Amino acid sequence: MPEGPSLYILKEQTARFVGQTIVRAEGNTWAIDTTRLLDQPVLALRTWGKQFFIQMPTMVVRIHMLLFGTYRINEERDKPPRLSLHFADGSFLNFYACSVKEVDCELDALYDWEADVMSDAWNPKKARKKLRAAPDMLACDALLDQEIFSGVGNIIKNEVLFRIRLHPLSTVGALPPAKLRALVEQARQYSFDFLAWKKEFTLKKHWLAHNQKTCPRCHIPFHKANLGRSNRRTFWCERCQKLYQ
DNA sequence: TGGAATGTTGGAAC
DNA sequence: CGTTCCAACATTCC
């Protein structure tokens, strides 16, 4: 569920709730008082990277799916919902095993919307500028930095690095300008490929590096290790992916 | 079947 | 005081 494109799908599927009023709110969340949601109209549903915001007149609730979060629309699961919102027309939206919290209403001041790779506001020039300002950062960490590439997760990281033939331990400052540009371009492009494949339920089938044993390009075994400050699982080909440092 | 994983946070430890 | 490390959360898959 949790990378940016999946949240984009969530936003699409829940657009029908914008403008509706919450007539019942419950769930096992401990972080907010669900009675405060009662009788509030949903003013907007937004995403920033992997986060989902429910904007109401007097509060904004943030949902983060973390690793295991799920949701259902007009459908129950066999697990208790973390947050369940029922609307005047009888429809409902349930979230499970996610993080729920109230955030400051000033969303525009809190988040850099130009950093969201799924957003119309995505600003590749600004992303390159942020990268140039962090020359010591490793490529594998840069892609997971939500301030630069909001919405990119570990799958997208591995696939982008493989696609642009960049070694995960390359330092950002050592990248030739064309490679830096490709990194930024593909962070967005792969995210939209991810979105299309996710919608047709063929995402895993299209993985070239993530969770793979052998390089599909040169057929030698992939390396697999937890790399970088982020210490996340990384798959790469020592032959195809060039190291810059 | 135990362990790891599409992720983040907060607090302890240094 | 800054940074780094680690547990916690909770579900699915192999």
Side-chain angles (χ1 to χ4, degrees):
Chain A
M1 169 64 207
E3 298 196 30
S6 301
L7 271 286
Y8 188 94
I9 293 170
L10 166 60
K11 189 172 63 176
E12 284 186 336
Q13 293 180 339
T14 56
R16 68 178 88 171
F17 297 120
V18 176
Q20 293 217 45
T21 297
I22 298 167
V23 297
R24 187 149 68 94
E26 54 206 17
N28 62 15
T29 176
W30 63 91
I32 62 167
D33 175 5
T34 54
T35 62
R36 291 179 56 209
L37 305 180
L38 277 183
D39 301 323
Q40 296 225 43
V42 174
L43 298 182
L45 295 172
R46 304 176 70 180
T47 56
W48 184 78
K50 303 166 190 171
Q51 312 186 30
F52 181 69
F53 301 100
I54 304 166
Q55 269 189 308
M56 292 156 288
T58 66
M59 70 189 295
V60 177
V61 171
R62 187 201 77 162
I63 305 283
H64 200 303
M65 297 297 187
L66 301 176
L67 270 182
F68 311 122
T70 54
Y71 64 94
R72 292 290 187 276
I73 294 166
N74 298 333
E75 194 186 318
E76 309 274 358
R77 292 197 59 187
D78 53 350
K79 315 269 180 187
R82 175 68 34 86
L83 180 65
S84 177
L85 303 176
H86 292 254
F87 300 93
D89 69 354
S91 59
F92 60 97
L93 173 60
N94 284 358
F95 294 97
Y96 305 86
C98 58
S99 157
V100 176
K101 85 174 191 186
E102 180 175 4
V103 294
D104 192 290
C105 288
E106 299 300 322
L107 288 183
D108 288 330
L110 280 178
Y111 302 95
D112 177 3
W113 299 85
E114 293 182 339
D116 183 344
V117 296
M118 300 306 295
S119 169
D120 291 340
W122 166 247
N123 183 340
K125 191 173 175 181
K126 194 169 179 180
R128 292 196 297 271
K129 188 175 175 185
K130 288 174 185 171
L131 289 169
R132 286 195 300 270
D136 296 333
M137 192 181 272
L138 301 177
C140 60
D141 287 328
L143 279 164
L144 291 177
D145 188 327
Q146 300 299 293
E147 298 300 324
I148 306 175
F149 297 110
S150 180
V152 168
N154 207 37
I155 296 170
I156 297 174
K157 175 199 80 176
N158 281 317
E159 294 297 321
V160 168
L161 291 171
F162 181 74
R163 190 179 260 197
I164 66 171
R165 302 194 185 200
L166 179 63
H167 195 292
L169 294 176
S170 298
T171 47
V172 165
L175 300 184
K179 196 60 93 173
L180 189 80
R181 181 173 285 269
L183 178 67
V184 171
E185 271 173 8
Q186 289 303 319
R188 179 170 168 92
Q189 181 57 52
Y190 187 84
S191 295
F192 278 89
D193 291 343
F194 183 125
L195 173 65
W197 294 327
K198 183 94 185 169
K199 284 180 170 178
E200 24 173 74
F201 306 101
T202 62
L203 179 64
K204 288 187 185 182
K205 199 179 82 181
H206 285 92
W207 287 347
L208 298 178
H210 187 78
N211 257 349
Q212 306 306 298
K213 298 262 190 289
T214 309
C215 174
R217 195 175 278 136
C218 76
H219 309 295
I220 68 171
F222 269 124
H223 285 246
K224 172 185 168 185
N226 284 22
L227 300 183
R229 297 178 67 96
S230 49
N231 197 36
R232 300 293 301 280
R233 207 163 60 124
T234 308
F235 299 83
W236 76 98
C237 174
E238 278 290 344
R239 187 179 293 170
C240 296
Q241 293 175 251
K242 185 169 175 184
L243 178 62
Y244 298 86
Q245 54 185 7

